[in-house]
Amino acid sequence: MNVAGANPKINIIFRSCDLVNAVHNAPRPFNLDKKTLIKLCFKSLHNALQGFNYHIVVLGDNLSPEMKAFFLNFDIEFVEGVFGNDNSIRETIKIAERFNDDEWVYFCEDDYLHTKDAMQKIVTLISEKETIQPSSIKIKQLLRKRKIKLFSIPRFFTKPNIVVFPTDYPDRYEQEYSNRDFIFHTTNSHWRQVYDTTFTFLMQVKDVKRKRRTLWKSANKANDRYLSNNLYGKSFFFNKLLCLSPMPSVATHMHIETMSPLQDWEGIVNELKAEI
């Protein structure tokens, strides 16, 4: 679906497989089976996209007839095959490279539940991204009750573009993992810098093409650690991107151990059950 005059264009590549309940056998919340979970997650994303300029590609990896029938009820592009996890990631990269450089692509796994305002906050962030800039490292010294700046170290030569990771993971509030990160705000939300993601994230198409080698290599054994280490900057952003995650979360990974805080996910699930 395209809404005339809306910007930016968001291309969603929804990667789905209903044969495996969870890659690491992590328990699902609210006693959801995998098919119901996929339906709820897709419907939550579809609802959040209404009113925006979007195109959805569903990449079905050996999907059951029930799931195929579900997806084909929507206005989507359907790509079907038997890929396996690694090759399905590579296939999403190929699909993303078809889109125009100034458009955005949302690589979305099938077990992320979204809030109603998820895309509103993401689109606002993208629209206001030029105001988001990591500051220089400033070295100061206190002299006669005044702080004198001795020198500053730039964190980048070219202002880094952003990657959006829509999930606020709970372990980022644990003291042993806490870091001093950049925190920004847009007109409707707060965002903070993060250094690691899963394979669910949103980035501009020109960056997908520029970072193709990293993305492609990360697909080997679905290595999101390699992806994060080579794609996102920490203190410096020389040839790296700035990854931002919302506070509170606008999506959650539907594993019991990693549910994002400060959102009523069970309430969202119960509302969506009436729609599928």
Side-chain angles (χ1 to χ4, degrees):
M1 175 180 178
N2 294 328
V3 180
N7 283 308
K9 175 72 175 293
I10 309 292
N11 301 283
I12 297 89
I13 306 176
F14 190 86
R15 189 163 60 96
S16 186
C17 176
D18 62 327
L19 293 181
V20 179
N21 182 57
V23 174
H24 302 294
N25 295 316
R28 300 294 187 176
F30 317 127
N31 297 314
L32 294 171
D33 63 87
K34 184 64 184 292
K35 288 183 175 62
T36 303
L37 182 142
I38 293 172
K39 292 175 183 178
L40 293 170
C41 289
F42 181 83
K43 192 65 170 66
S44 73
L45 176 59
H46 188 268
N47 288 354
L49 286 163
Q50 298 313 300
F52 295 98
N53 187 9
Y54 71 91
H55 171 66
I56 299 176
V57 180
V58 172
L59 180 68
D61 184 7
N62 200 16
L63 283 181
S64 65
E66 177 185 341
M67 290 311 306
K68 291 179 194 177
F70 170 78
F71 285 124
L72 291 175
N73 284 322
F74 298 88
D75 183 16
I76 62 165
E77 177 185 347
F78 186 65
V79 177
E80 183 180 6
V82 180
F83 303 106
N85 198 34
D86 293 8
N87 282 331
S88 71
I89 294 172
R90 296 185 184 101
E91 198 66 28
T92 65
I93 299 167
K94 294 178 188 176
I95 294 170
E97 291 177 321
R98 296 176 358 206
F99 306 130
N100 296 329
D101 283 5
D102 61 340
E103 297 175 0
W104 291 72
V105 59
Y106 183 14
F107 298 102
C108 187
E109 296 166 284
D110 64 5
D111 57 352
Y112 280 77
L113 188 73
H114 296 74
T115 63
K116 290 179 180 178
D117 62 354
M119 201 52 57
Q120 181 183 47
K121 290 182 176 179
I122 290 171
V123 167
T124 300
L125 174 65
I126 291 171
S127 300
E128 299 177 8
K129 69 184 180 70
E130 294 308 315
T131 67
I132 293 175
Q133 176 173 306
S135 62
S136 298
I137 297 174
K138 295 177 176 62
I139 308 300
K140 298 181 180 182
Q141 182 174 331
L142 186 63
L143 182 63
R144 293 180 182 177
K145 299 183 180 180
R146 292 184 61 190
K147 281 190 175 181
I148 306 299
K149 185 175 76 173
L150 301 179
F151 59 92
S152 64
I153 304 171
R155 299 182 192 266
F156 55 86
F157 295 125
T158 302
K159 181 179 177 298
N161 206 357
I162 64 170
V163 173
V164 182
F165 183 52
T167 303
D168 186 24
Y169 267 81
D171 62 4
R172 290 179 179 135
Y173 295 91
E174 296 175 8
Q175 190 61 38
E176 63 179 308
Y177 298 115
S178 64
N179 291 289
R180 187 176 180 180
D181 303 320
F182 298 110
I183 296 178
F184 307 94
H185 74 86
T186 65
T187 54
N188 64 9
S189 54
H190 280 84
W191 299 80
R192 68 167 161 193
Q193 177 194 11
V194 295
Y195 315 122
D196 55 87
T197 70
T198 63
F199 283 95
T200 289
F201 56 89
L202 188 144
M203 64 192 298
Q204 199 161 22
V205 174
K206 67 179 181 181
D207 289 321
V208 174
K209 296 174 182 178
R210 188 164 61 90
K211 298 293 186 179
R212 185 183 197 276
R213 184 175 179 180
T214 295
L215 294 166
W216 195 264
K217 192 170 180 178
S218 71
N220 185 36
K221 297 183 180 178
N223 193 342
D224 54 17
R225 180 60 55 86
Y226 176 88
L227 173 81
S228 299
N229 288 341
N230 289 277
L231 199 60
Y232 313 132
K234 293 185 179 179
S235 295
F236 297 95
F237 301 90
F238 304 119
N239 201 33
K240 295 287 184 73
L241 301 170
L242 172 62
C243 188
L244 299 175
S245 180
M247 302 184 297
S249 195
V250 298
T252 189
H253 203 179
M254 292 290 277
H255 291 156
I256 287 176
E257 296 91 344
T258 57
M259 299 288 287
S260 300
L262 303 179
Q263 294 284 11
D264 180 14
W265 300 115
E266 187 172 15
I268 293 173
V269 164
N270 290 336
E271 286 184 17
L272 289 167
K273 279 181 176 178
E275 300 181 26
I276 63 172

